[in-house]
Amino acid sequence: MFNKKKKRVIAYLHTHWDREWYREFEIFRLRLLRVFDNVLDMLEHEKIPSFYFDGQVVALLDYLEMRPEKEQLIRNLVAKKKLYIGPFYCLVDEFLTDAICFSKNLEIGMKIAREFGCNDFIGYLADTFGHSINVPIILKDYGIDKAVVWRGAGDLPSEFIFNGVNTVNLIRGYFNDIFASDKTLADKSQFIKKELDKIAERSKKVLLMPIGADHLGIPTDINEQIEQINACLDDYQIELGSIFDYFKAVKFKSNFDDELRDNEKTFILPGTYSTRTKLKQLNTECSYKLDLANKLQFNFGNQYTNVIEYAYKLLLKNQAHDSICGCSTDLVHEENITRYHKVLEIANGIIEEIRFAQGNNISVSFKYPEKQKLIEVERTVPEKGTQIIAKRQGFATELLTDQYKIPVTEDYTTLYTLLKEIHPQQEESDIYVSDSVLGNSYIKIEIEDGQINLYDGASCHEDFIKFVRYKDNGDTYNFGPVKDDKGEYAKILSSHMIMQGPLRGAIRIETSFFGVLVWLNKQSKLLNFKILWSNLLSDKLWQVQFRLYNDIYVVHSEDMNTLISREFDPEYNIRENLPAQKGMEAMTNTAPMQRFAWTNGFGVITKGLNEYEVYKNNFSITLLRSIGIISNPDNPARTTPAGPPIKVKGAQQFGENSAEFAIGFFDVEDWANYVEEIYPQTIIL
């Protein structure tokens, strides 16, 4: 019987399931079989009231692939509201996933959960590394009016309204393995009392306490333990229930309408935005190409609907926070790379099959067609009015796509990449190029006296672009700066013209770090950059820095395909604010972006470079961060480990690397048009 003199504590049983992390997927799945066998047995024999399966269905599907005989039992438990599954397909990172993928995650996850009979959903985001302001909006689009968060919530109360959604803040996190430990009853009671005291500071009459942790089963004597601990607690009484019980028991009044990235109380692990850059680059390309293929097939009969869903499942598995964030073992990320290539094979294959089926002569525009001026196409023969920008040896896609033809040796030929005007203009080309100058009517870059100068109309931005690398004593979770490190800046050695044509001009800048290809299209306000280099250095942070006229106080960047703004203190320097107290994570002037960031009239569009930094009037984009350990116990920016100290040579990213971005001066309101130029929504069929 409940003691009215004590505060009510609703405890829910759960496990947080990373499919892959410090061990590989198949190894974790073997553990999943043991853990979930245990859970199902306890639910079936009514030893526990309910179990929350981490807000994602992918782990359930992983289980059933090996235990198909358990499906009917699972359906029965879901129907009785003893087992809660969904709404997500996979627990993806919120800042490295765009709105299209995040929505697909809910669409696919809820469809599967409903097929199993579940209709009770919470946007359960207990371990993602901070929370996007746009996530509640997407949850509401799918009829979900509840959410659970932890990292980044700072001093917010245990229940608040997050951008319109009733949200529970797990004050002490989801990780609570004390019941599974071998500590004495007295030690357990003392620990739980301290935890509940801290939760109570930001709660009212009813408290919520998770019981569970990463990949953890339920102790078979959980009921006896709770009964014994309740007898030791003077102020609290724990009862096993569900998160839904807590939502019914409390009221939501406080409003919070900003993103959750406060790391004063919890780690948000911001170094993951730049760890293993190749993952981010492939993720961005896959997200864009798969969306394009889906839109295209929608226009031509929806023949590939099941294939598209299969590809999204592959992509979403890679967007799980320990996967896309790059903080897992090398073998895990090798499998991620394979999945990404599978997604690209499907997306490009669908586009080519539809192009072949439609006779190679139709243009389809999905967005901003009036802004789309140039597009790249591949042909076996150069076409009139186009400009050749590259060529390679291979088979024409028409031969590869035609089911009645098999390419033979004689068909292996030269393929030309052509730059083509979608709506040919009568005006003459405005491109001009020499060994040291590249420009058009809107923008110009000039290499002079070892500096890179930029001209925006009549305005000259001297020494505007610099390349720099810093020492990094961190890990896959956090950049670890060296206190007095001023950085090593690349020297500009030379430049020369490599392309001159009516639609595009290009130069190559040689630096002491690497070569930089710069190109500019006719009538475009965007300068495009591509860097290819072989990295031989370990423990380094590489950046491109843009020196603006004024200090930077506000940055607008893309988040879930919309624009958000963040405020900064331009004088803040992480090297002067490294934490000394245990359990702290240094605040940074870095932040996540998806494809676009803008400040002080200047915009950057990247291909999978997801981190920017502000310092005084310098706006920097991270090109590469090379480190060699998952969690460094001596990381100066984070004074408590965030994972196991496993060596990961792959995170050093030795060997060939690339970085692509475009820059320009324009009004922020036009940002989508400029992103469109780099990520065209026009298909030439």
Side-chain angles (χ1 to χ4, degrees):
M1 185 176 292
F2 186 76
N3 187 337
K4 294 183 179 180
K5 294 181 180 180
K6 294 184 177 183
K7 284 192 174 183
R8 181 186 180 195
V9 179
I10 298 174
Y12 71 95
L13 298 167
H14 77 100
T15 186
H16 174 53
W17 205 265
D18 299 298
R19 297 181 76 245
E20 48 196 19
W21 178 23
Y22 61 86
R23 305 196 79 182
E24 291 70 37
F25 164 65
E26 297 296 355
I27 296 175
F28 270 146
R29 177 151 68 171
L30 290 174
R31 183 182 177 98
L32 173 65
L33 301 182
R34 300 193 301 274
V35 168
F36 204 50
D37 282 348
N38 158 246
V39 169
L40 292 178
D41 179 72
M42 296 187 78
L43 287 171
E44 184 180 15
H45 294 94
E46 299 185 345
K47 295 179 180 178
I48 54 174
S50 64
F51 184 81
Y52 196 82
F53 203 4
D54 206 29
Q56 56 181 337
V57 298
V58 69
L60 174 64
L61 300 179
D62 292 338
Y63 174 84
L64 282 172
E65 195 171 16
M66 300 298 169
R67 294 275 198 269
E69 70 276 9
K70 297 287 188 178
E71 182 174 338
Q72 190 55 53
L73 171 61
I74 288 170
R75 290 182 178 278
N76 292 341
L77 293 171
V78 170
K80 293 177 181 177
K81 298 187 186 297
K82 291 180 175 291
L83 179 63
Y84 293 98
I85 60 175
F88 300 109
Y89 178 71
C90 186
L91 290 183
V92 301
D93 182 84
E94 296 175 44
F95 294 107
L96 297 170
T97 301
D98 67 19
I100 297 165
C101 289
F102 198 87
S103 296
K104 278 289 180 185
N105 194 20
L106 278 167
E107 176 188 314
I108 295 170
M110 291 176 74
K111 182 179 75 171
I112 294 169
R114 282 175 171 146
E115 287 172 354
F116 278 89
C118 186
N119 291 290
D120 301 294
F121 298 122
I122 295 170
Y124 189 77
L125 301 159
D127 193 37
T128 48
F129 302 163
H131 305 284
S132 163
I133 189 174
N134 288 299
V135 161
I137 298 170
I138 300 174
L139 291 176
K140 287 187 288 186
D141 287 343
Y142 284 83
I144 298 174
D145 59 0
K146 304 176 184 67
V148 172
V149 300
W150 171 42
R151 297 185 189 270
D155 286 320
L156 287 169
S158 57
E159 59 271 347
F160 64 100
I161 301 171
F162 179 26
N163 207 9
V165 170
N166 289 345
T167 300
V168 169
N169 173 17
L170 297 177
I171 304 298
R172 299 297 293 164
Y174 68 88
F175 198 100
N176 183 355
D177 62 346
I178 190 69
F179 291 94
S181 74
D182 57 1
K183 294 183 180 297
T184 66
L185 175 64
D187 287 342
K188 290 182 179 181
S189 300
Q190 185 179 26
F191 175 86
I192 290 172
K193 181 187 183 309
K194 289 181 179 179
E195 290 292 290
L196 292 175
D197 284 346
K198 292 175 182 177
I199 295 172
E201 289 175 3
R202 285 188 270 160
S203 302
K204 295 181 180 174
K205 293 182 179 180
V206 182
L207 282 63
L208 179 67
M209 184 177 75
I211 298 178
D214 300 347
H215 313 108
L216 195 65
I218 303 171
T220 54
D221 64 343
I222 186 66
N223 289 294
E224 291 83 354
Q225 286 196 60
I226 289 175
E227 184 177 349
Q228 292 169 348
I229 289 170
N230 274 336
C232 299
L233 297 175
D234 295 327
D235 302 317
Y236 308 103
Q237 183 154 331
I238 303 168
E239 62 180 74
L240 281 181
S242 75
I243 309 180
F244 293 94
D245 296 332
Y246 183 77
F247 273 93
K248 292 176 183 176
V250 298
K251 294 182 179 180
F252 297 82
K253 294 181 179 179
S254 302
N255 287 284
F256 187 82
D257 297 330
D258 200 353
E259 64 182 357
L260 299 174
R261 292 189 64 247
D262 185 338
N263 67 345
E264 186 176 345
K265 301 293 184 183
T266 56
F267 299 160
I268 61 169
L269 310 171
T272 55
Y273 308 141
S274 54
T275 300
R276 296 185 189 258
T277 311
K278 292 177 183 177
L279 295 177
K280 279 67 170 177
Q281 292 166 322
L282 281 168
N283 184 67
T284 301
E285 183 180 6
C286 286
S287 298
Y288 161 65
K289 281 285 184 65
L290 191 54
D291 176 49
L292 206 55
N294 190 31
K295 289 174 180 174
L296 187 62
Q297 70 101 21
F298 179 79
N299 279 264
F300 292 100
N302 283 330
Q303 299 179 52
Y304 300 91
T305 301
N306 291 336
V307 182
I308 291 286
E309 182 172 308
Y310 165 73
Y312 267 113
K313 288 177 179 177
L314 289 174
L315 180 54
L316 291 166
K317 288 173 184 176
N318 272 5
Q319 291 178 345
H321 59 284
D322 288 310
S323 301
I324 183 58
C325 288
C327 47
S328 301
T329 68
D330 288 339
L331 285 175
V332 164
H333 294 305
E334 287 172 17
E335 187 169 359
N336 294 155
I337 296 291
T338 300
R339 285 194 205 120
Y340 279 129
H341 285 295
K342 285 177 175 286
V343 174
L344 286 176
E345 289 161 10
I346 292 169
N348 289 328
I350 289 173
I351 291 170
E352 291 304 326
E353 286 193 10
I354 293 176
R355 185 171 73 84
F356 174 76
Q358 296 301 316
N360 213 29
N361 60 1
I362 300 173
S363 172
V364 180
S365 296
F366 303 113
K367 196 175 181 184
Y368 308 116
E370 72 282 359
K371 299 293 183 182
Q372 197 63 49
K373 296 178 180 178
L374 300 177
I375 196 166
E376 295 179 12
V377 298
E378 191 172 72
R379 299 288 186 265
T380 54
V381 178
E383 297 176 359
K384 184 178 179 181
T386 64
Q387 180 180 335
I388 299 172
I389 58 173
K391 60 183 180 180
R392 67 179 181 90
Q393 295 299 114
F395 291 114
T397 52
E398 290 85 352
L399 288 173
L400 296 173
T401 304
D402 191 342
Q403 64 178 316
Y404 300 110
K405 292 183 180 179
I406 299 174
V408 295
T409 303
E410 291 77 9
D411 296 319
Y412 198 73
T413 186
T414 301
L415 301 173
Y416 298 92
T417 302
L418 308 174
L419 195 61
K420 180 175 183 176
E421 286 188 285
I422 294 177
H423 304 294
Q425 305 295 313
Q426 297 301 318
E427 68 261 22
E428 294 183 1
S429 174
D430 61 345
I431 297 288
Y432 55 91
V433 59
S434 68
D435 282 338
S436 60
V437 174
L438 172 63
N440 65 10
S441 304
Y442 298 103
I443 194 167
K444 179 177 77 170
I445 186 171
E446 180 180 47
I447 316 306
E448 185 177 22
D449 297 330
Q451 294 185 169
I452 302 176
N453 302 326
L454 218 64
Y455 294 83
D456 171 31
S459 301
C460 176
H461 305 265
E462 292 187 9
D463 202 17
F464 185 72
I465 302 174
K466 290 179 175 292
F467 301 99
V468 60
R469 59 191 178 210
Y470 297 98
K471 297 173 185 177
D472 189 346
N473 286 345
D475 51 37
T476 61
Y477 292 108
N478 293 80
F479 167 57
V482 174
K483 189 171 184 180
D484 298 321
D485 184 16
K486 303 299 182 183
E488 177 188 359
Y489 285 83
K491 296 178 181 178
I492 307 301
L493 304 177
S494 64
S495 63
H496 58 279
M497 178 179 66
I498 61 171
M499 183 183 296
Q500 185 176 29
L503 301 180
R504 176 177 293 177
I507 62 174
R508 180 178 172 86
I509 304 171
E510 300 295 342
T511 80
S512 55
F513 287 0
F514 37 51
V516 183
L517 174 64
V518 188
W519 73 91
L520 180 62
N521 290 340
K522 173 184 174 183
Q523 299 291 326
S524 174
K525 290 186 177 182
L526 293 180
L527 271 169
N528 300 269
F529 294 76
K530 184 172 184 177
I531 305 167
L532 291 170
W533 80 103
S534 182
N535 176 39
L536 304 175
L537 304 177
S538 60
D539 305 322
K540 299 288 184 183
L541 170 71
W542 305 64
Q543 291 182 328
V544 54
Q545 291 183 355
F546 305 102
R547 190 167 68 98
L548 302 174
Y549 283 139
N550 301 312
D551 285 354
I552 299 165
Y553 292 91
V554 177
V555 176
H556 303 269
S557 61
E558 185 184 23
D559 177 279
M560 294 282 180
N561 304 96
T562 64
L563 209 60
I564 64 169
S565 63
R566 297 187 179 103
E567 295 182 356
F568 292 89
D569 173 5
E571 296 297 326
Y572 180 83
N573 186 339
I574 185 175
R575 292 168 179 83
E576 298 170 358
N577 293 275
L578 295 174
Q581 184 180 346
K582 186 176 174 63
M584 298 297 292
E585 179 184 68
M587 189 183 82
T588 75
N589 262 18
T590 61
M593 58 184 286
Q594 287 175 350
R595 298 171 299 176
F596 174 79
W598 183 99
T599 185
N600 292 3
F602 172 74
V604 183
I605 302 140
T606 78
K607 290 190 173 182
L609 307 177
N610 296 127
E611 178 182 84
Y612 66 83
E613 182 176 17
V614 168
Y615 182 58
K616 295 186 177 180
N617 63 329
N618 290 320
F619 187 64
S620 302
I621 301 293
T622 302
L623 303 174
L624 179 73
R625 198 166 70 83
S626 56
I627 57 277
I629 187 169
I630 288 181
S631 178
N632 179 6
D634 298 318
N635 189 333
R638 192 196 64 246
T639 54
T640 300
I646 297 173
K647 297 292 181 66
V648 281
K649 184 179 179 181
Q652 295 283 10
Q653 296 189 105
F654 295 131
E656 184 173 307
N657 285 273
S658 66
E660 291 187 60
F661 57 91
I663 63 174
F665 295 89
F666 47 81
D667 293 333
V668 70
E669 291 80 7
D670 295 329
W671 74 279
N673 294 336
Y674 293 99
V675 170
E676 174 78 10
E677 190 170 329
I678 305 303
Y679 294 88
Q681 294 288 309
T682 297
I683 296 291
I684 300 295
L685 298 174

